[in-house]
Amino acid sequence: MPTAAVILALILGAGLSSVLVDPASPFAVLLFQGTSDDARNLLVSIASTMVTVIALVLGLTVVALQLASTQFSPRLLRNFLRDLPNQLTLSIFVATFAYSTAGLYTVGIASGQRVETYPRLAVSGALFLLFVSMVMLVFFVHHLAHSIQIDQVMKGVEKATLGVLERSFIAGDPQVSLPGPPEGAAVLEATRSGYVQAIHAEAFVGALEARGLSARIVPMVGRHVVAGTPLAWVWATDSTGPRSLDPRSRAELRRALMRTVRVGYERTLEQDIAFGIRQLADISSKALSPAVNDPYTANQAVDHLASILAALTVRQHGPCAVKDRQGLVRLHVPARDFEYLLELALGQVRRYGASEPRVVRALLRVCRDVGSLSGEGHRTAVRRYVETLLDDVRRMVPQAADREPLLAEGAAVLAALA
């Protein structure tokens, strides 16, 4: 965005410089009224001011990134870097600087000689951009102060994760079992190391159907793969036995697989619901660390996780079998089940916070709410979690006055889940 803003500013400056306003026009009183030297001094002052402001904005942004990394979670840095208001503010600042600096080539100078005529409309545009920049500076300080508040950070992660569920969640089937590669199955290796960011099966399924093959993706979304390790297994769909792949077919299948499985150097929220859950779990774990001791922040993170878990309970999880146009299963794709996601969301909070009664009550409340929205299969996973939580309470809460009310509340939750 800053690069595009600089290009647009230069185009705008060139366009306004070619517009001459008649001194007799009623709009002439709105234009800059000084001499050419005054105009050059104004542009110099605006350019130098914007350099200072840009340095201030970058410094504040670095402070926000450092705070987010150390206080909340290093996985939140991507959210700050992709923040649209931050990019927009910096874009306006650098555009104002570029616009003013480029004007120094033409204002008051023609063929290397000083002249009194200059594009007054273009100089007035620099003044307008200066006022816009000052407004954006106030807005940026206000936005930055709110964006580093823990409530705003957690709400942003929750909203982004729920957006993934709405846009790109692929329903699984708990009854589907991932087949093991049969004897003679061909392996397609990963060409680069990184994290699986997304899986779009259409291209690979089409290539498999054209050759009468079936396949299984090895890593699920969010997992790390190493270059040279298996990314997919491929075998013949019919019962004719093992079928070797010629070099051309192997190369075409590998290209189709690369279009299907996108591997990058970092995890993203395109399809990776577990990544959003991981960010909130990190915040709660840091809040419960002995160096911080902030159980209320952990409770807040648990509340936001409850909203995500509630949205997960109404969906089917697990691996999925992708069919071709003829209705035959061509591809098996692994995925996380609900019990894994529940443990990812609340497992660390249980281990680090089982000795704090307020955290335990928050976890029991979440389990009661999530269990009331779940089907029997998901309720079974919630019950197992509550039973493990109560075992930790018996072991880690020494005072009976703290322990017994928690056990009674946990028994009530188990009865409700039953």
Side-chain angles (χ1 to χ4, degrees):
M1 285 183 65
T3 303
V6 168
I7 296 174
L8 290 176
L10 296 177
I11 295 175
L12 177 63
L16 293 180
S17 297
S18 62
V19 177
L20 299 178
V21 180
D22 191 341
S25 171
F27 298 103
V29 296
L30 301 178
L31 304 182
F32 185 74
Q33 300 297 317
T35 64
S36 59
D37 287 338
D38 295 334
R40 289 184 63 84
N41 292 334
L42 174 65
L43 295 178
V44 170
S45 299
I46 293 176
S48 59
T49 299
M50 294 316 302
V51 169
T52 304
V53 172
I54 291 172
L56 172 65
V57 169
L58 293 178
L60 292 175
T61 304
V62 170
V63 170
L65 294 176
Q66 183 180 13
L67 178 64
S69 176
T70 57
Q71 189 70 19
F72 307 141
S73 168
R75 275 155 288 280
L76 293 171
L77 289 179
R78 180 180 177 86
N79 299 347
F80 284 92
L81 293 173
R82 293 171 59 88
D83 190 33
L84 183 59
N86 292 346
Q87 297 182 27
L88 180 61
T89 301
L90 186 60
S91 299
I92 292 177
F93 289 168
V94 296
T96 303
F97 171 79
Y99 183 96
S100 302
T101 305
L104 295 174
Y105 281 89
T106 58
V107 172
I109 299 293
S111 300
Q113 302 296 323
R114 301 294 296 272
V115 296
E116 291 300 324
T117 59
Y118 63 91
R120 296 180 182 274
L121 182 60
V123 175
S124 301
L127 277 174
F128 175 77
L129 287 176
L130 176 63
F131 281 109
V132 173
S133 298
M134 293 303 101
V135 172
M136 291 302 299
L137 178 61
V138 176
F139 165 76
F140 172 76
V141 174
H142 170 81
H143 171 74
L144 188 64
H146 282 274
S147 64
I148 61 177
Q149 292 180 359
I150 186 62
D151 302 273
Q152 184 69 24
V153 171
M154 291 191 291
K155 183 62 179 178
V157 175
E158 176 194 332
K159 183 179 179 181
T161 307
L162 292 177
V164 175
L165 282 174
E166 295 297 329
R167 293 189 309 269
S168 56
F169 178 79
I170 300 175
D173 187 353
Q175 306 303 321
V176 171
S177 59
L178 293 175
E183 183 180 357
V187 59
L188 299 178
E189 301 88 355
T191 58
R192 57 180 298 188
S193 299
Y195 293 93
V196 177
Q197 297 176 339
I199 297 178
H200 301 285
E202 295 81 7
F204 197 41
V205 170
L208 293 172
E209 181 183 5
R211 293 166 177 79
L213 300 174
S214 297
R216 170 191 167 181
I217 302 293
V218 176
M220 63 183 67
V221 172
R223 286 290 173 85
H224 186 268
V225 296
V226 178
T229 59
L231 190 60
W233 291 96
V234 179
W235 60 88
T237 302
D238 51 35
S239 57
T240 57
R243 182 185 303 176
S244 60
L245 293 177
D246 58 89
R248 180 178 177 181
S249 296
R250 181 182 291 272
E252 292 175 351
L253 284 173
R254 180 174 284 108
R255 285 194 296 269
L257 181 61
M258 290 300 101
R259 294 196 301 271
T260 294
V261 182
R262 187 169 70 249
V263 178
Y265 71 95
E266 63 178 351
R267 296 177 69 175
T268 67
L269 273 175
E270 181 180 347
Q271 290 183 354
D272 194 357
I273 301 168
F275 184 52
I277 295 175
R278 164 58 60 198
Q279 294 179 36
L280 289 171
D282 284 350
I283 294 175
S284 62
S285 298
K286 282 208 170 188
L288 292 173
S289 65
V292 179
N293 285 329
D294 185 7
Y296 181 67
T297 296
N299 286 1
Q300 286 182 293
V302 168
D303 292 337
H304 289 282
L305 285 167
S307 300
I308 298 175
L309 291 173
L312 289 172
T313 57
V314 299
R315 292 171 168 83
Q316 290 293 326
H317 304 273
C320 61
V322 185
K323 298 179 180 180
D324 61 14
R325 291 171 296 181
Q326 309 302 322
L328 297 176
V329 175
R330 292 289 179 183
L331 180 65
H332 287 84
V333 181
R336 298 173 175 86
D337 57 18
F338 178 77
E339 187 169 6
Y340 176 94
L341 296 173
L342 177 67
E343 173 63 21
L344 177 66
L346 304 180
Q348 287 182 323
V349 186
R350 171 182 61 79
R351 286 186 286 273
Y352 298 144
S355 60
E356 171 53 50
R358 293 187 181 276
V359 175
V360 174
R361 287 193 175 92
L363 293 174
L364 291 174
R365 182 176 64 251
V366 170
C367 292
R368 182 193 62 220
D369 295 340
V370 172
S372 66
L373 299 172
S374 303
E376 180 56 34
H378 293 167
R379 268 203 308 271
T380 301
V382 177
R383 279 199 300 268
R384 283 198 291 265
Y385 176 85
V386 174
E387 291 168 353
T388 305
L389 174 62
L390 295 181
D391 288 341
D392 286 342
V393 169
R394 296 186 187 96
R395 180 171 51 87
M396 299 179 64
V397 180
Q399 291 292 340
D402 294 329
R403 183 178 63 250
E404 297 307 323
L406 296 178
L407 295 177
E409 186 173 346
V413 172
L414 286 176
L417 292 174

